[in-house]
Amino acid sequence: MVSSPTTLQVILGAPVVREKKVTALPKDGLDDLIRSIIFNTQQLNEPFYVLDLGVVASLVDKWTRSLPTVRPFYAVKCNPDPALLGVMEALGASFDCASRAEIETILSLGVSPSRIIYANPCKPESHIKYAASVGVNLTTFDSLEEIQKIQKHHPNCDLLIRIKAPDDGNARCPLGPKYGALPEEVEPLLQAVKASGLAVAGVSFHIGSGATNSNAYRSAIAAAKSVFDAASRLDMPRMHVLNIGGGFTAGPEFDDAANAVNSAVYEYFKNEPGLTLIAEPGRFFAETAFTLATNIFGKRVRGEVREYWINDGVYGSMNCILYDHATVMATPFACSSNGGDPTCDGAKTYCSTVFGPTCDALDTVLRDYQLPELQVNDWLVFPNMGAYTAAAGSSFNGFNTAAIGTHLAYSKLSSLV
Ligand code: PLP
């Protein structure tokens, strides 16, 4: 366990994670661990994350069992926490980077550039030049202008054409409105690549992050096959890469998604020998592995309503409420009150509002939420906080998200795995 008063991250099972002997903590074990951190190391009552590497290892196993032919490129943007990246590297994952800085981060772990896809369809020229200089030779595109930039700055780069496949209409974050070539744009783009002398290795799509409708994978894979066919008609070198993007979650719906992918790949690509299948999962690996503990530092009673202030909010980790359309859930840990049972099981509950720390009223984490009577210096614990949380936090009002979940653990992890 590694800790400091202001930055704290707990690595569980690091020594054995590569051998995959580590298992996720049971709920009681996680609660006990959080309790011991609060009592033993939290003199300043700073918010902190617990990262359970056992969860990550079990998800890597689950992926490998359910999608054995699909090579995962972990989407760094989802959570670039160094310990998470370190364990993904140790477990053999590749990486999806969206920018120069993300590529630098992954290369600094000693990862070969061949394990990186630069999966941003619209890239600044300076970042393309950097990718060329370090040998990251696979990227996506969906416009003529992007082809021209890549031809000029990185002519050895293999391309995947990002198509606008039908989104999962219920996805938490649809990506179709921003990216992907329309069906009628595909052939002109392929012709432009052919004329430029670049190589299109295959097709990529993303059905939307936090997808729930597994049929969207089937439709997108069918659409990708029609692009492979178009390339053949245009006498282009045979395409050989299918990138099925992200969208996966770690819940029970993952099995449906995996079945849909496997059956659609078989149906549409069984006659494409040598196909390389890749994906860019972020949320699947990160979301359930992180638990966030926040300290209550303010309280107001208004009749039967209770209002609390905690030291992380929508300008920090809970930006996921705004940007990722997340609904967060909190469980109380009452260390200063309720002397007996810190979980407050069975205690009377009140309609409660939970505010973040900044002076903006928008900074509201929970409304009309049932909580027991809590006091200043009690804690609220938020499970499943690993995806699109700290990654996009700011230091608005001087409350610094970067202070939560830090690099402390990585050097230790890398020496152990
Ligand atoms: N790949 C790309 C290009 C993305 O834009 C995203 C998310 O925005 C991802 C992968 C990760 O998606 P997810 O977290 O749904 O797996």
Side-chain angles (χ1 to χ4, degrees), residues 118 131 136-139 150 154-159 198-200:
Y118 188 178
V136 170
N137 295 336
L138 183 61
T139 192
I150 297 166
H154 196 355
N156 293 326
C157 200
D158 278 343
L159 305 180
L198 293 168
V200 189

Side-chain angles (χ1 to χ4, degrees), residues 52 89 114 123 155 159 310 312 319 325:
D52 186 343
E89 194 282 325
S114 64
K123 299 165 280 295
L159 305 180
I310 57 173
D312 199 351
N319 70 80
H325 314 292

Side-chain angles (χ1 to χ4, degrees), residues 75 77 96 119 162 175 206 209-210 246-247 280-283 388:
K77 62 177 80 69
D96 152 14
R162 168 94 171 248
L175 298 169
H206 195 306
S209 189
E280 299 163 358
R283 190 185 304 277
Y388 306 106

Side-chain angles (χ1 to χ4, degrees), residues 117-140:
I117 176 171
Y118 188 178
N120 187 335
C122 193
K123 299 165 280 295
E125 279 180 294
S126 61
H127 296 216
I128 297 173
K129 284 188 208 165
Y130 173 74
S133 73
V134 294
V136 170
N137 295 336
L138 183 61
T139 192
T140 56

